[in-house]
Every structure is written in structure tokens, then in C-alpha cells.
């Protein structure tokens, strides 16, 4: 049960965004821009960064939601996502994405954990400065969201089909579509 009164039909961050729409608006705009806006990283790759960071932060809702969002948009689907969430060194992903995930995991620990060696390795694997910037920002944003969701003890569906449905809504209409799909699925 959530630490605050949120709509029980809106799990995870969806309920928190509904609770405080004035804070949800800028956060939602940032996540839409960062994960779905122009980038040399695909939306599936950016969602994978969020899913891997969330798994390492032990945030079930975000790891499952963004894992499903990535699976719907990345080559290899759920198998690739599951593999990356288990071990980025053996996952069937590019060397560039592997290097960026190492930066993301370092950033989730501390900004000071992102070393010159990690950045140089990512650049050697083909990452641009924009890729590195966005990776650190995605990791930081997801660490914030993970603490927000878990710090207020929000509900998280335990049905994989819920996350798959939310993923289809995201692919079709972006982050704004998810709250509508979550509400319909809960009914």
C-alpha cells in the first residue's frame, strides 16, 4: 500500500504523476524528450538504459515497465532486455551500448564513478558526446524516478501483460498515452 493516497487504478509513477500534475508536467516533458526525442540512440536503447538502471536500483515497477518498453522497440525484444538486465557483458548488444550501460551503472552509484576510462571506452566504441551526455542524464533521471516510486511505496502490477499493454500504448502514443492505457487495463 502506498505511503500517500493515490488512485489505486494508476500504478507506479502514473499514480504519482496524477497526484501532483504540476510536477508531472515538467518531468513528463523531460522523459518524453530524453527517451523519445531526436538522438543517435534508438528509443529501445534509451529505454534499455532506464530498465537496467532501474533493475540495479531494485525498482521493480520501473525495471519491468521500461524493460517492456525497450523490448517492444529493440532488436531481439524481451530476450535482449532480459539478457542485458542479467549481465551487460554477455548481452547481445553492440559494444557501444555495452559501454554506455557501464557509464549508466557508474552514474547510478555516483557522478564521481563515471571515469575518464569509461568515457574513453564508450568513445572508442563509437559513442558520441551526445550519447554520453544522454546516458548520464537517463541514469540520473531513472535513479530519481526509482526513488520516487519506491520511496512512496507505489503499487506495481505483477502481471507481465500489464507491462506489455503499457508498452504498446507507449509505442503508439508516447508517454502521455500510458496513463490512459493503465487506467483502461485496471478497469
Amino acid at each position: 500500500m502506498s505511503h500517500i493516497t493515490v488512485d489505486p487504478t494508476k500504478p507506479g509513477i502514473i499514480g504519482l504523476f496524477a497526484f501532483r500534475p504540476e510536477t508531472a508536467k515538467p518531468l513528463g516533458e523531460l522523459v518524453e524528450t530524453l527517451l523519445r526525442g531526436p538522438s543517435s540512440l534508438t528509443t529501445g536503447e534509451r529505454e534499455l538504459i532506464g530498465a537496467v538502471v532501474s533493475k540495479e536500483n531494485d525498482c521493480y515497477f520501473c525495471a519491468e515497465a521500461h524493460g517492456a518498453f525497450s523490448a517492444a522497440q529493440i532488436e531481439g525484444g524481451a530476450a535482449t532486455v532480459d539478457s542485458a538486465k542479467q549481465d551487460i557483458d554477455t548481452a547481445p548488444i553492440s559494444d557501444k551500448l555495452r559501454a554506455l550501460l557501464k557509464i549508466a551503472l557508474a552514474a547510478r552509484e555516483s557522478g564521481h564513478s563515471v571515469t575518464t576510462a569509461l568515457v574513453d571506452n564508450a568513445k572508442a566504441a563509437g559513442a558520441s558526446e551526445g550519447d554520453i551526455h544522454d546516458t548520464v542524464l537517463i541514469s540520473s533521471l531513472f535513479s530519481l524516478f526509482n526513488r520516487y516510486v519506491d520511496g512512496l511505496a507505489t503499487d506495481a502490477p505483477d502481471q507481465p501483460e500489464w507491462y506489455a499493454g503499457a508498452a504498446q500504448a507507449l509505442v503508439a502514443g508516447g508517454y502521455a498515452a500510458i496513463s490512459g492505457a493503465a487506467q483502461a487495463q485496471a478497469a
Side-chain angles (χ1 to χ4, degrees):
M1 175 173 254
S2 181
H3 293 313
I4 62 174
T5 305
V6 295
D7 183 340
T9 67
K10 296 179 179 177
I13 203 164
I14 299 164
L16 297 176
F17 276 11
F19 182 83
R20 286 288 305 264
E22 64 276 16
T23 59
K25 185 179 185 310
L27 291 172
E29 289 171 353
L30 177 58
V31 79
E32 182 74 24
T33 299
L34 193 56
L35 297 182
R36 294 178 51 88
S39 175
S40 64
L41 298 173
T42 69
T43 54
E45 290 170 333
R46 289 178 277 170
E47 291 286 357
L48 182 63
I49 293 167
V52 168
V53 167
S54 297
K55 185 211 175 258
E56 290 301 311
N57 282 335
D58 199 29
C59 182
Y60 179 80
F61 177 81
C62 294
E64 292 303 303
H66 294 280
F69 301 164
S70 178
Q73 301 174 87
I74 199 167
E75 186 176 329
T80 296
V81 173
D82 292 343
S83 181
K85 285 166 62 177
Q86 293 305 310
D87 183 0
I88 60 175
D89 287 323
T90 60
I93 56 176
S94 69
D95 288 340
K96 172 183 157 180
L97 184 55
R98 188 177 335 282
L100 291 171
L101 284 168
K102 289 179 181 184
I103 289 173
L105 292 176
R108 70 164 274 286
E109 291 175 13
S110 166
H112 297 290
S113 295
V114 179
T115 64
T116 300
L118 287 171
V119 171
D120 288 347
N121 187 45
K123 287 179 179 179
S128 69
E129 289 189 351
D131 296 335
I132 294 164
H133 170 276
D134 289 356
T135 296
V136 170
L137 185 53
I138 291 167
S139 177
S140 302
L141 182 63
F142 272 84
S143 292
L144 167 93
F145 285 161
N146 299 158
R147 286 157 181 80
Y148 186 35
V149 166
D150 288 342
L152 291 170
T154 62
D155 292 325
D158 58 3
Q159 305 87 10
E161 59 274 7
W162 186 91
Y163 298 100
Q168 292 309 309
L170 173 84
V171 170
Y175 279 93
I178 294 173
S179 61
Q183 195 167 17
Q185 288 180 353

